[in-house]
């Protein structure tokens, strides 16, 4: 089992959101209408799930939940009270805070913890080895980084500091999974896409480019998509990736422990990740990976 880091965004938050879109939860409902205690004047209260999923929320780009230690207000109120760094919907910037906030909103609207909501979806897809941490150390679990010389490696504890601060369960990180479970997830998405099922329709909507990233890539709903919408992929900081191509019916799950020796090692994955994107859809896409 690997700490999949930001793959949590698509495995958990995106999946739960897509299967729960009904009033009062819609893509364009302001967050202040989905969570209690968010004042009308709270800057982040007017952000919508669509803007969070497309990383155009304008929320602060640094996560830094440690700054709220000792505060007694609910986390959602603290996140929404911060000044915005851009007008919502106008600028793409990768923001973890938005997914933290969306995870809180989903839990409140649906009346269950995010890990419980995600687990019910994973169980339905046969993903028995996927779970939020913290997990008990075992030989089946890949340890990640040693933060301090001589200290033990992180092993079963989420590598993401902010997810760890939230007890391991967050909308942006904290999930552990296996290559086989990622394959089951990808297979289910592609099959549902071909059959017109609920998850497949959600994937189709998410493949539509919503915000330009650069190098011919765009942000759809959570996923990074090619300009023609033929492929989708997402990376995890620890060295994981998942690629989907409904156009070819191919997928590729990449599980590495790139942060094992040092977190800077993950940059060496760039050529492999580019090859993986090309492998799932070798046909014309309108842009190089």
């Amino acid at each position: 089992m690997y700490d999949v880091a930001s793959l949590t965004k698509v495995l958990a938050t995106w999946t739960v959101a897509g299967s729960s879109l009904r009033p009062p939860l819609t893509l364009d409902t302001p967050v202040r209408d989905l969570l209690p205690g968010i004042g009308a004047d709270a800057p982040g209260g007017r952000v919508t799930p669509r803007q969070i999923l497309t990383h155009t929320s304008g929320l602060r780009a640094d996560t830094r939940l440690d700054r709220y230690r000792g505060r007694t207000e609910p986390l959602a109120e603290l996140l929404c009270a911060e000044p915005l760094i851009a007008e919502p919907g106008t600028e793409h910037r990768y923001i973890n805070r938005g997914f933290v906030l969306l995870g809180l909103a989903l839990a409140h609207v649906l009346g269950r913890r995010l890990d419980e909501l995600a687990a019910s979806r994973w169980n339905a897809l046969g993903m028995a080895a996927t779970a939020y941490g913290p997990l008990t150390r075992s030989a089946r679990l890949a340890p990640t980084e040693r933060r301090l010389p001589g200290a033990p490696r992180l092993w079963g504890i989420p590598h993401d500091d902010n997810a760890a601060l939230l007890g391991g369960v967050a909308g942006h990180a904290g999930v552990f999974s296996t290559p086989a479970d990622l394959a089951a997830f990808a297979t289910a998405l592609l099959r549902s896409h071909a059959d017109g099922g609920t998850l497949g329709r959600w994937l189709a909507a998410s493949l539509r480019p919503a915000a330009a990233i650069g190098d011919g890539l765009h942000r759809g709903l959570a996923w990074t998509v090619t300009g023609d919408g033929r492929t989708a992929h997402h990376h995890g900081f620890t060295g994981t990736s998942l690629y989907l191509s409904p156009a070819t019916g191919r997928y590729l799950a990449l599980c590495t422990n790139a942060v094992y020796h040092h977190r800077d090692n993950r940059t060496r994955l760039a050529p492999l990740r580019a090859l993986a994107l090309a492998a799932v859809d070798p046909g014309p896409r309108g842009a190089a990976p």
Side-chain angles (χ1 to χ4, degrees), residues 4-288:
V4 300
S6 279
L7 284 189
T8 298
K9 293 181 175 70
V10 292
L11 287 176
T13 310
W14 174 83
T15 300
V16 172
S19 58
S20 310
L21 288 177
R22 55 186 179 274
L25 177 63
T26 73
L27 283 176
D28 299 306
T29 306
V31 166
R32 62 173 171 252
D33 294 341
L34 300 175
L35 285 160
I38 309 298
D41 59 346
R46 58 195 180 98
V47 169
T48 67
R50 184 187 304 277
Q51 292 161 350
I52 289 172
L53 289 166
T54 57
H55 291 278
T56 60
S57 66
L59 295 167
R60 276 177 48 175
D62 61 320
T63 313
R64 291 300 304 275
L65 301 186
D66 59 302
R67 293 183 178 182
Y68 302 137
R69 288 180 184 273
R71 300 286 294 270
T72 58
E73 303 96 318
L75 179 58
E77 291 184 30
L78 293 168
L79 293 172
C80 287
E82 297 277 4
L84 299 175
I85 61 172
E87 180 67 17
T90 64
E91 179 181 313
H92 178 272
R93 192 183 303 237
Y94 192 83
I95 298 174
N96 284 323
R97 279 172 167 255
F99 278 78
V100 174
L101 189 58
L102 183 54
L104 295 172
L106 289 168
H108 177 73
V109 170
L110 300 176
R112 298 175 66 190
R113 286 168 48 107
L114 180 61
D115 55 335
E116 295 173 348
L117 293 167
S120 68
R121 275 64 171 182
W122 298 332
N123 290 338
L125 299 177
M127 299 166 62
T130 300
Y132 269 101
L135 303 176
T136 303
R137 287 176 52 164
S138 75
R140 293 185 62 247
L141 190 62
T144 55
E145 188 179 5
R146 177 181 284 122
R147 294 287 175 80
L148 298 172
R153 295 185 180 279
L154 296 178
W155 198 344
I157 299 171
H159 182 268
D160 183 275
D161 293 337
N162 296 287
L165 277 173
L166 294 177
V169 179
H172 73 295
V175 168
F176 292 76
S177 191
T178 64
D181 269 19
L182 294 180
F185 181 68
T187 300
L189 288 179
L190 293 175
R191 182 181 298 120
S192 184
H193 186 276
D195 296 342
T198 301
L199 266 180
R201 294 194 302 272
W202 179 230
L203 178 61
S206 301
L207 282 168
R208 298 179 193 130
I213 297 176
D215 296 328
L217 298 176
H218 295 71
R219 182 73 61 185
L221 296 174
W223 299 87
T224 299
V225 300
T226 49
D228 54 9
R230 285 175 59 93
T231 65
H233 67 275
H234 206 291
H235 301 316
F237 185 92
T238 48
T240 57
S241 298
L242 183 62
Y243 304 81
L244 303 170
S245 176
T248 63
R250 295 179 176 180
Y251 69 86
L252 193 152
L254 178 65
C255 288
T256 79
N257 203 4
V259 297
Y260 181 84
H261 292 292
H262 195 278
R263 62 177 54 202
D264 290 344
N265 277 6
R266 66 191 182 87
T267 59
R268 298 169 60 187
L269 286 176
L272 178 60
R273 283 172 162 169
L275 286 171
L277 181 57
V280 297
D281 184 9
R285 293 188 302 276

